[in-house]
Amino acid sequence: MSENMEQSPELLLSPLIPSLPDDVTVDIVARVPRSHYPTLSLVSKSFRNLIASSKLYKRRSQLGITQHRLYAVLRNRKTGEFSFYILHRKLNGYNRLVPVRSLPFMSPRGSCVPVGSEVYVFNDLSVLIFDCTSHTVQRMSNFPERMSYKEVNVIGKKVYVIGDALCHYVEQTGWMKWWRKAVTVFDTETQLLEPKLVNEDMAVGLGPFWSDSVVMDGKIYLKGYMNGNSFAYEPEERKWEVMDEVLNSKEWEGSCVVDDVLYYHDRSGKALRAYDPKQGCWSVVNGLEEFLAVETARSGWSRTVNYGPDKLALFFPKRQYGEKMICCAEVALERRQGGEIWGKVQWCHIVIGGELFDMVKFVAVTV
C-alpha cells in the first residue's frame, strides 16, 4: 500500500486556504466567534471537518477563547422520547432551540451533567459521553450499578451519582419508607469508579424523590420532594447534614448556581431570588421586577441554568397569539457595593413552540 493510501481521508483533502499553512488557518478560525461556524462549515469539506475537529477547540482553549453552549433535554408529549436540543445563537434574529440529531435519546429516568466540553448521560443501565465539540458519542464500559431516583452533580473532575439503596431502610410507616442514600463517584480523568458509599449514619429524607440538586462551595445540596427539606453532602468528609430553616424556607426547584450563589425564579413572588451560603440568607435580585411581572406572570413553571460567569438563562412558558411557547431570557448578574445583586435582561426570545414539549433538563458546557 502506498504512503498516500495510508493517510486518513482528512489529510488527503486540499489545504484549507491554499496560500496559507493549515496551522495558520486554524489559528485564524479559532479566533472567529462560534456563531459564524455554521456558515464556515459550508465553505468546503475541509472547513466542515475543521469545524468538527478537536484540534480547533483545543487551540481555542489554548488561546483562552471559549464560549458557553447550552443544551436542553425536551420530552416529546406525543412520542414520549427525551431528546437533546441546542440553543442556536443567531447573529441577526431570534435564538432558537434546534434538535441535535446525532445524539441518542435519553432514558426517562436518566440524568445528565456537563464536564468541561462533554456531557455525561447516566441512563438506567448505561452511561454515554457526548463530545459537544463534534456531537459524537461514546459508551462508558464500567458504568455505576443501577440506582433509583438518582441525582448527578460534578465537583472538579469527579461525577457524584446520588441515589437510593433500595435494600437499606430502618423503619416503615404505612407505605412510606426511610431511604438510605448511596453515593457512587466516577473520576472523569482516570475513568475509574470509587467504591459505592451507602450512608449508614442517618436516613436522609422521607421517601426516595428529590426535586432538585446543585453544587455550592464544594458541597452537593439536594431539595427533598415530599417534605421540602434541604440536605447537603460533603464529599471530602463523606457526611450528610440537614440544612437550616433559611434554605428550607424557599421552594428552590429549577435553580442554578452562579459564582457559588444559588438562584431560582420565585413565580408566586415574581422575583429572582438568590441564596448566598456564606451569608446564610436569601435576597432578591434587583432590576428584574417589571420584566418578571410582565413576561412570566402566568408561567406555571420555570428553570434557570448557569450560562457563564455572572450570567444565567431563564426558561419559562408563555402564551402568544393563542399558542403556548417556551421563552428564554439571558440575564447578566452584577454584585454591587453593599452586597446587593442586580440583574439585567440581555435578550428574551421565544425559542421553541411549547405545545408538544416538556422541559426536562438544561446543561451548559464550555467549548
Side-chain angles (χ1 to χ4, degrees):
M1 183 180 290
S2 68
E3 183 178 350
N4 286 339
M5 290 290 288
E6 294 175 353
Q7 296 181 22
S8 68
E10 185 174 342
L11 295 176
L12 293 174
L13 297 175
S14 59
L16 293 162
I17 300 177
S19 58
L20 291 176
D22 279 356
D23 286 345
V24 175
T25 305
V26 170
D27 263 16
I28 295 172
V29 176
R31 290 170 168 80
V32 174
R34 280 201 61 261
S35 54
H36 291 286
Y37 282 7
T39 302
L40 281 175
S41 66
L42 301 176
V43 172
S44 66
K45 188 174 182 180
S46 297
F47 268 91
R48 186 162 60 252
N49 287 338
L50 173 63
I51 297 303
S53 71
S54 59
K55 179 180 180 180
L56 174 62
Y57 293 93
K58 181 178 180 181
R59 185 56 182 149
R60 285 172 60 86
S61 179
Q62 291 171 344
L63 294 170
I65 304 171
T66 57
Q67 291 175 289
H68 280 71
R69 183 182 284 182
L70 196 151
Y71 293 85
V73 179
L74 308 184
R75 176 184 175 272
N76 188 306
R77 293 179 182 176
K78 285 188 174 181
T79 64
E81 293 172 340
F82 290 68
S83 305
F84 277 83
Y85 286 68
I86 185 171
L87 183 65
H88 183 44
R89 300 291 300 270
K90 295 185 178 181
L91 292 177
N92 300 308
Y94 289 101
N95 302 322
R96 297 283 293 173
L97 282 172
V98 296
V100 184
R101 310 268 182 208
S102 60
L103 300 185
F105 299 124
M106 191 174 79
S107 163
R109 291 174 297 278
S111 188
C112 58
V113 66
V115 183
S117 62
E118 298 176 326
V119 174
Y120 282 69
V121 178
F122 290 78
N123 289 320
D124 291 335
L125 296 173
S126 67
V127 177
L128 305 177
I129 305 174
F130 299 165
D131 185 335
C132 297
T133 62
S134 60
H135 283 174
T136 56
V137 182
Q138 63 174 327
R139 183 181 295 267
M140 194 175 81
S141 57
N142 54 340
F143 56 86
E145 63 185 272
R146 182 171 182 169
M147 289 192 294
S148 300
Y149 311 111
K150 53 187 172 289
E151 288 288 330
V152 184
N153 290 275
V154 172
I155 299 178
K157 294 294 184 179
K158 291 187 176 182
V159 178
Y160 292 81
V161 184
I162 300 177
D164 292 301
L166 299 180
C167 59
H168 291 263
Y169 61 91
V170 292
E171 66 179 81
Q172 184 172 350
T173 305
W175 63 273
M176 296 166 63
K177 300 176 182 178
W178 286 91
W179 298 77
R180 293 292 190 186
K181 298 305 166 189
V183 181
T184 298
V185 184
F186 176 70
D187 191 320
T188 60
E189 289 188 322
T190 63
Q191 295 286 296
L192 296 176
L193 284 170
E194 297 180 7
K196 186 174 75 171
L197 173 69
V198 177
N199 178 35
E200 299 290 354
D201 297 328
M202 62 178 288
V204 182
L206 185 61
F209 301 106
W210 301 107
S211 61
D212 209 345
S213 65
V214 296
V215 172
M216 284 191 296
D217 197 25
K219 296 182 181 180
I220 300 172
Y221 291 77
L222 300 103
K223 182 71 170 175
Y225 178 78
M226 290 186 177
N227 53 22
N229 289 337
S230 300
F231 304 87
Y233 177 72
E234 214 292 329
E236 293 297 325
E237 299 182 6
R238 297 187 174 185
K239 290 185 178 180
W240 289 90
E241 59 180 304
V242 180
M243 300 309 299
D244 57 33
E245 294 181 358
V246 177
L247 185 58
N248 289 337
S249 65
K250 303 297 180 183
E251 298 296 329
W252 46 273
E253 183 179 359
S255 62
C256 72
V257 171
V258 181
D259 298 327
D260 269 340
V261 175
L262 184 148
Y263 294 89
Y264 89 101
H265 176 217
D266 182 349
R267 298 184 299 276
S268 60
K270 297 180 176 62
L272 183 66
R273 299 192 183 274
Y275 176 82
D276 190 332
K278 293 184 174 62
Q279 299 178 0
C281 64
W282 287 98
S283 62
V284 172
V285 178
N286 299 294
L288 302 174
E289 297 83 359
E290 183 178 352
F291 169 79
L292 294 176
V294 173
E295 297 294 332
T296 68
R298 298 182 180 180
S299 298
W301 60 265
S302 59
R303 300 287 186 274
T304 59
V305 58
N306 182 318
Y307 203 27
D310 302 319
K311 193 180 297 183
L312 63 80
L314 172 65
F315 287 85
F316 59 93
K318 182 180 180 180
R319 283 203 170 271
Q320 185 164 312
Y321 308 119
E323 295 185 8
K324 184 179 178 182
M325 307 290 182
I326 295 176
C327 298
C328 177
E330 182 181 307
V331 179
L333 303 166
E334 177 188 1
R335 187 183 288 273
R336 297 185 180 177
Q337 190 173 5
E340 289 187 344
I341 302 176
W342 285 73
K344 183 178 180 181
V345 177
Q346 303 293 306
W347 53 263
C348 181
H349 296 159
I350 294 171
V351 291
I352 198 169
E355 294 292 348
L356 293 177
F357 299 104
D358 293 320
M359 290 288 184
V360 179
K361 180 73 175 180
F362 299 96
V363 292
V365 301
T366 303
V367 295

